[in-house]
Amino acid sequence: MLAVDVRQSLKNGDTVEVGASRWWKFSADTINQHGDYLLAFVDGQVCVGAFEIVGSEPDEAEGGKYVFDLRPASRFQWALGKKLPLPPGRNPVRILSGQALREFLDSDPR
């Protein structure tokens, strides 16, 4: 599962989905291994969007940063407004895997 910080996009007037969908620096291996779902977060690692990635491709005009075709992920709507267990760091792109992913999935109230 991927996660991106959409704070700057929101400040620029974009919607969460638009901000989450474009120009993120991931490797092709990361997309292949973790690119099923994408969570958008803002300050304090609060989830503001949960999406299924239905397509992705690097945008050569943007230095190979990825553009995603997204649709809302109904199975993760419960996470909106919740703090995500993201790995530490200041990078605006993150990967939820291992213990962090388990903690996130275990938080599902169902």
Side-chain angles (χ1 to χ4, degrees):
M1 184 173 292
L2 305 176
V4 296
D5 184 343
V6 296
R7 175 184 38 214
Q8 191 60 47
S9 292
L10 295 178
K11 286 180 182 177
N12 293 337
D14 291 332
T15 65
V16 171
E17 186 170 357
V18 168
S21 70
R22 58 184 179 188
W23 306 315
W24 297 102
K25 188 71 171 171
F26 288 104
S27 72
D29 285 343
T30 297
I31 298 294
N32 290 332
Q33 293 174 17
H34 305 284
D36 295 331
Y37 293 95
L38 184 138
L39 301 174
F41 66 94
V42 293
D43 297 328
Q45 303 175 349
V46 174
C47 182
V48 294
F51 304 97
E52 181 178 0
I53 299 172
V54 294
S56 63
E57 63 182 73
D59 184 342
E60 296 309 320
E62 291 294 327
K65 293 179 181 177
Y66 274 83
V67 176
F68 298 107
D69 182 13
L70 302 173
R71 71 173 161 223
S74 58
R75 71 180 281 194
F76 296 122
Q77 295 305 299
W78 60 266
L80 298 178
K82 307 266 193 256
K83 185 174 180 179
L84 298 174
L86 297 173
R90 298 175 57 106
N91 193 333
V93 298
R94 311 278 179 87
I95 301 167
L96 258 70
S97 63
Q99 182 61 34
L101 180 58
R102 175 62 23 220
E103 185 179 333
F104 173 73
L105 295 173
D106 287 348
S107 297
D108 186 345
R110 292 188 279 155

